[in-house]
Amino acid sequence: MRFTFRNQPLGRIASVIAVLAVSANATLDGNPLATPDQQTLDALAIKISQDDNFTVLKAEAKAAYQTAHGLPISDEASSSIDAAIDELAFSSIQKAVNGDTYFPKVYWVDAGPRNWFGLDVPGGRYSYDNPDCIYRTIPIDSSLSYIITGYRHGSGPTDVTFSLISDPNSQNTVAYLSGSDLVVDSDGSYTITVNSSSGDNQTNHIQSTLLAKQLLIRNNLGNWATEKPDNLTVDLVDDNSSQSALTEAEIILAASWNLQESIVDYGVGALGIKTSINKVNTLSAPSQSSTLGTLTTQASSFGHFDLSDDEALVATVTQGDADYFVFPLTNPWIITTDPASQVSLNNKQAVANENGTYTFVISVEDPGVYNWLNTTGLHEGTIMVRWQGLPTTSSSSTSSTTSPAVDIQVVPLSELASVLPSETRYVTVEERESLLAQRLAAYAQRTEF
Ligand SMILES: *[C@@H]1O[C@H](CO)[C@@H](O)[C@H](O)[C@H]1NC(C)=O
Ligand SMILES: *[C@@H]1O[C@H](CO)[C@@H](O)[C@H](O)[C@H]1NC(C)=O
Ligand SMILES: *[C@@H]1O[C@H](CO)[C@@H](O)[C@H](O)[C@H]1NC(C)=O
Ligand SMILES: *[C@@H]1O[C@H](CO)[C@@H](O)[C@H](O)[C@H]1NC(C)=O
Ligand SMILES: *[C@@H]1O[C@H](CO)[C@@H](O)[C@H](O)[C@H]1NC(C)=O
Ligand SMILES: *[C@@H]1O[C@H](CO)[C@@H](O)[C@H](O)[C@H]1NC(C)=O
Ligand SMILES: *[C@@H]1O[C@H](CO)[C@@H](O)[C@H](O)[C@H]1NC(C)=O
């Protein structure tokens, strides 16, 4: 394992990182996310974020997000925009610190703020972070060959995907390995090759092309208490001894470029074109595409809400052929507020109706419905429902399929009971507290070691 950087400009950081690594080393067991590489990259991202290199771009991002939201912008919405832009800027740095294709690492990104390894890691959430999903990145160059080694705990995450993408910001898919095609050995281990050869139809191979820049790995946890992300490490097959690591100046340049692209992809694209365009308190019809950060096997539905204290949104979701779906609430700037609160529910966490659909209630106050989604005090926010593990459009013609669907309406809280299905499960205050405590404890496992 490597705790030092070769280049002079990084010498200063290297010594800091080396000390941190040694002191935490003995306690790294058990948590697949708490790796020495994670610690190295988190420390470097923090260091870079502390210099004032992104002031102008952050101002541009804020203006673009405000434009995409549209006027008027309430005080409530305004109060969270600066923090959201800070997270967007940190996400751009996180993408850049693991951008060295000759010295690849596995890096967990797009998560909320946390304190671990003695590091105060800021949030790096952007563009509809999914509270179920552990997003990890590996930098890829198509002229090089990589071997990824994985280990699966138990039956593994509910949905796993490996997407080779052409750009860490627009995230367009170049090649793709789905969890159902991944071959895992009986002892839980697996290896995946990534290189430019066709691989002769070999299993666990991802063919890279000149467009490939990054492997984006999603591990979606359905049951947070029992499912663990896979262990993942990467090895470069080619010789890197004559290569020097990226300099800090190069990383800052890449981060600036990421932030610039993020303004367009997430501000103009995800918030503007995908979200704000919909009528308030409605959701777009689920649609499947491989652009703007979505998977080819994923369908998504976007919308934004604006509720008074005595109103609720009632949404009914049809899972269709998806093997996983999640209904998360996000703030006006398309990031989660407090994932440890019940701001999202997936098909393993929610209770189904008798006919297999799922009905959710979104409101500021807790109506005592099991499938309540907590707006965490917000009256305004955004929604991106997603279904994963769907047949791709080219492969779906053979069998008869049920399409994902969602249906949504605003009702006065006082009329909620008359709108909800008769089988709706309710919870007492004590049950709610206990459910919340379980969720919090399960969520905390991600950073415990
Ligand atoms: C998986 O990762 C954890 C945490 O780093 C480690 O304790 C465990 O030994 C790893 N398991 C395998 C089989 O690599
Ligand atoms: C590229 O991947 C294929 C398929 O797994 C493998 O057979 C080959 O050895 C790899 N090439 C290199 C240079 O690692
Ligand atoms: C790979 O699979 C395709 C489609 O099944 C087949 O046409 C082709 O002959 C296979 N190639 C090799 C080298 O096995
Ligand atoms: C690439 O560099 C890393 C870090 O210096 C080293 O651990 C690794 O063995 C090198 N890989 C190759 C194939 O040279
Ligand atoms: C980043 O900011 C630091 C501190 O203000 C400055 O010394 C450095 O030159 C900047 N780097 C780049 C690439 O702009
Ligand atoms: C709703 O979320 C807020 C913010 O996270 C939290 O303080 C509150 O306890 C939650 N309410 C319930 C009933 O879970
Ligand atoms: C399934 O049940 C829900 C709740 O009662 C209802 O809203 C929905 O229309 C039903 N869907 C079908 C396809 O019957």
Side-chain angles (χ1 to χ4, degrees), residues 314 316-318 353-359 407 409 419-424:
V314 175
T316 298
V317 173
T318 304
N353 294 323
E354 272 160 18
N355 66 9
T357 62
Y358 292 78
T359 300
D407 158 286
Q409 62 172 319
V419 170
L420 292 175
S422 56
E423 68 264 32
T424 296

Side-chain angles (χ1 to χ4, degrees), residues 127-431:
S127 198
Y128 290 113
D129 59 299
N130 177 355
D132 292 339
C133 189
I134 305 298
Y135 300 90
R136 283 175 285 181
T137 65
I138 296 173
I140 298 290
D141 184 303
S142 66
S143 70
L144 304 175
S145 296
Y146 304 86
I147 297 177
I148 293 157
T149 307
Y151 173 75
R152 176 147 297 172
H153 302 266
S155 53
T158 291
D159 194 57
V160 173
T161 54
F162 299 83
S163 306
L164 191 59
I165 56 178
S166 59
D167 180 311
N169 307 304
S170 66
Q171 302 181 350
N172 292 343
T173 308
V174 171
Y176 174 77
L177 176 65
S178 75
S180 53
D181 289 336
L182 177 74
V183 178
V184 179
D185 294 343
S186 54
D187 66 355
S189 62
Y190 60 85
T191 57
I192 297 171
T193 51
V194 181
N195 65 45
S196 60
S197 91
S198 71
D200 290 341
N201 295 345
Q202 212 164 299
T203 54
N204 295 0
H205 176 69
I206 301 172
Q207 183 178 5
S208 55
T209 72
L210 286 174
L211 289 173
K213 285 280 180 317
Q214 187 190 72
L215 189 68
L216 177 60
I217 302 128
R218 289 176 173 87
N219 280 187
N220 287 72
L221 312 180
N223 182 329
W224 292 7
T226 57
E227 294 176 28
K228 251 191 184 187
D230 293 349
N231 287 15
L232 286 177
T233 55
V234 59
D235 287 296
L236 179 69
V237 176
D238 304 79
D239 181 21
N240 58 12
S241 53
S242 62
Q243 303 297 321
S244 47
L246 290 179
T247 63
E248 193 173 323
E250 287 170 321
I251 294 172
I252 291 170
L253 204 63
S256 303
W257 176 247
N258 289 337
L259 186 48
Q260 198 128 37
E261 283 201 329
S262 297
I263 294 173
V264 178
D265 291 333
Y266 313 139
V268 178
L271 177 57
I273 296 170
K274 296 270 187 182
T275 304
S276 299
I277 207 162
N278 298 299
K279 194 166 162 274
V280 69
N281 296 331
T282 67
L283 287 171
S284 60
S287 80
Q288 226 165 315
S289 93
S290 63
T291 58
L292 260 180
T294 58
L295 293 159
T296 44
T297 53
Q298 173 178 324
S300 325
S301 176
F302 298 83
H304 57 105
F305 62 87
D306 188 352
L307 298 169
S308 61
D309 282 330
D310 54 9
E311 285 176 329
L313 276 174
V314 175
T316 298
V317 173
T318 304
Q319 184 167 343
D321 290 323
D323 46 40
Y324 160 87
F325 84 83
V326 63
F327 201 121
L329 299 184
T330 33
N331 76 6
W333 315 109
I334 60 177
I335 62 174
T336 53
T337 53
D338 181 8
S341 278
Q342 192 163 298
V343 300
S344 68
L345 287 171
N346 61 49
N347 55 303
K348 287 201 176 161
Q349 296 167 330
V351 177
N353 294 323
E354 272 160 18
N355 66 9
T357 62
Y358 292 78
T359 300
F360 298 96
V361 176
I362 296 144
S363 57
V364 179
E365 296 299 321
D366 181 0
V369 172
Y370 191 99
N371 290 350
W372 170 57
L373 293 168
N374 186 349
T375 69
T376 64
L378 298 181
H379 299 83
E380 289 170 54
T382 54
I383 300 171
M384 176 185 174
V385 187
R386 62 203 89 175
W387 295 258
Q388 288 173 209
L390 287 163
T392 49
T393 17
S394 55
S395 64
S396 62
S397 50
T398 45
S399 56
S400 70
T401 55
T402 319
S403 299
V406 59
D407 158 286
I408 193 161
Q409 62 172 319
V410 190
V411 298
L413 267 185
S414 56
E415 288 169 29
L416 192 57
S418 65
V419 170
L420 292 175
S422 56
E423 68 264 32
T424 296
R425 194 194 298 181
Y426 291 86
V427 293
T428 62
V429 171
E430 292 72 33
E431 283 165 335

